[in-house]
Amino acid sequence: MEQLYLIKYGEISLKGKNRKFFEQKLMANIKQQLKPAPFSLLKRVGRLYLEYDEQYEQQISQVLKRVFGIVGFCKALRTRKDINAIGKAALLIARQLLEEKKGTRFKIEARRTDKGFAYNSYQIACKIGDLLRSHYKDVTVDVARPDWIINIEVREHAYIYGPASAGRKGLPAGCNGKGLLLLSGGIDSPVAGFLMAKRGLTLDAVYFHTHPFTSQEVLRKVEDLAKILAAYIPGLKLYIVDFTEAQLALKERGSEKALTLFSRAAMMRITSALARRFDALCLVTGESLGQVASQTPASMHFTGSFSTLPVFRPLIGMDKEDIIDLAKQYGTYELSIQPYPDCCALFAPQHPLTRPDVPELITEFNNLAVEEILEKTGSKIECREF
Ligand code: ATP
Ligand code: MG
């Protein structure tokens, strides 16, 4: 009898001809996250089996909880296709559930894809149900409202498993190509990254650093946030753009009330140029409708028009409370709220534009003649890998 993890994936099994591609992406992401633990990952119809070394169990279950595309997973026992061996495995699983005080009402769900097996599904369920009842005094069968279910599947081997832990669901990161996430040190943009990765984007992050007006502590915080993102998004890189010269030029040449919009527009322009260079297909921001002056429909019309690629804003219709809940779930909240000395108020207008005349403001931006500076800024990047 061997112990392994059984991994179930939901939505990706519905994708028709693309299914293989999705499955391969999911497997590659799991493999990348599991390193350096020794394991073997096998694909069977509609599910994956992960054989592992027991000493890495904790680490492996953490990874399975994180990887997008996994609906649920559980420890399973694999035995010979023999009713006695199946019974032994079911007893072991039941004992653990009883020890964990998961309740006493149970149900056996049996499935037999190997029609050559001596018992049909109903007979398997009855036999193993009887065995459990004769072994553990307090347990009763309750098919309508069981506290726990033991699943038995007779396929190329027999698999026996109890209740599954929930996975993150979604699609495997990368199956929808790559995006560039505009990552600041705040609460929102990391959450935007998680949500898009969950829909199958892999991401690299771009941070615009305005040193010395923004402190090195903020940069460190962004690096730490990127590290957390990388635990969910295999291979995520962080590009740090030296934005100081561009920011100062915008401040000097543009009107004060438009400064935030101009600086966001410059970020969009530079990031979409970087996206083309790094084979990304779209941009992702943490903007949410009406949250601040630069996030009104007209403001985002203006800033978005500086991107040559689609801009995805997954938080657009979300309340701050709900964004915070997600930040807590993903583990970025505590880091995002750490206060750091920041003199960026220097670049925050007292009365920012909320409803710019978009064509007029685009003309004003073009008249600033910052093209060359923005192009140069796009080449002043450093890359961090995790
Ligand atoms: P966040 O909590 O993500 O910082 P926010 O509510 O503070 O968002 P803004 O500061 O207006 O919003 O920024 C809007 C979006 O623009 C951010 O979510 C992020 O995607 C992007 N952004 C802002 N500043 C930077 C920066 N310095 N580097 C990279 N992206 C940035
Ligand atoms: Mg911010």
Side-chain angles (χ1 to χ4, degrees), residues 24-224:
Q24 276 164 358
K25 205 75 196 169
L26 178 63
M27 289 177 76
N29 289 354
I30 295 173
K31 282 181 185 168
Q32 184 159 1
Q33 297 278 313
L34 284 178
K35 276 182 211 156
F39 62 89
S40 94
L41 190 60
L42 303 168
K43 184 163 76 68
R44 292 285 177 270
V45 191
R47 61 195 46 206
L48 303 174
Y49 295 119
L50 179 78
E51 291 172 18
Y52 63 98
D53 185 332
E54 205 148 344
Q55 74 182 100
Y56 295 98
E57 184 174 317
Q58 195 77 8
Q59 184 196 335
I60 289 173
S61 83
Q62 289 308 316
V63 168
L64 299 180
K65 270 183 204 156
R66 271 200 317 256
V67 172
F68 296 119
I70 295 177
V71 169
F73 64 93
C74 56
K75 277 196 286 183
L77 294 172
R78 181 172 59 198
T79 70
R80 287 176 291 120
K81 286 190 273 190
D82 169 273
I83 197 74
N84 294 323
I86 293 172
K88 265 188 205 151
L91 287 173
L92 278 177
I93 292 173
R95 188 174 74 199
Q96 190 167 357
L97 290 164
L98 291 169
E99 278 169 8
E100 290 168 3
K101 306 235 176 303
K102 292 280 161 77
T104 52
R105 289 169 306 169
F106 78 96
K107 178 182 177 185
I108 304 287
E109 270 180 12
R111 226 174 318 153
R112 179 186 66 149
T113 47
D114 173 5
K115 301 296 178 204
F117 188 61
Y119 303 89
N120 67 26
S121 305
Y122 179 71
Q123 290 166 331
I124 300 171
C126 292
K127 273 214 157 285
I128 304 300
D130 287 347
L131 180 71
L132 257 55
R133 278 190 298 148
S134 68
H135 230 85
Y136 300 114
K137 290 284 160 296
D138 304 332
V139 299
T140 52
V141 173
D142 187 339
V143 291
R145 289 174 54 237
D147 295 316
W148 40 268
I149 296 174
I150 290 186
N151 298 275
I152 297 169
E153 295 183 9
V154 182
R155 300 165 165 253
E156 67 290 343
H157 300 279
Y159 295 92
I160 303 96
Y161 56 94
S165 306
R168 284 258 167 217
K169 306 205 235 5
L171 298 170
C175 71
N176 274 324
K178 181 159 81 178
L180 286 189
L181 169 68
L182 285 101
L183 180 67
S184 66
I187 296 169
D188 304 324
S189 43
V191 175
F194 291 125
L195 292 184
M196 293 318 302
K198 188 173 173 175
R199 292 310 305 162
L201 271 188
T202 189
L203 295 168
D204 286 333
V206 181
Y207 168 60
F208 290 88
H209 191 39
T210 317
H211 185 69
F213 305 103
T214 315
S215 65
Q216 291 303 97
E217 280 97 331
V218 175
L219 172 59
R220 230 155 289 140
K221 172 170 148 173
V222 171
E223 286 171 339
D224 290 343

Side-chain angles (χ1 to χ4, degrees), residues 65-68 167-170 187 190-199 224-225 227-233 315 318 322-335:
K65 270 183 204 156
R66 271 200 317 256
V67 172
F68 296 119
R168 284 258 167 217
K169 306 205 235 5
I187 296 169
V191 175
F194 291 125
L195 292 184
M196 293 318 302
K198 188 173 173 175
R199 292 310 305 162
D224 290 343
L225 286 170
K227 206 179 288 173
I228 300 178
L229 280 156
Y232 293 84
I233 306 166
L315 311 185
M318 286 181 70
D322 298 329
I323 298 170
I324 288 174
D325 278 350
L326 286 175
K328 286 180 180 167
Q329 270 184 40
Y330 283 105
T332 50
Y333 180 72
E334 294 302 327
L335 200 52

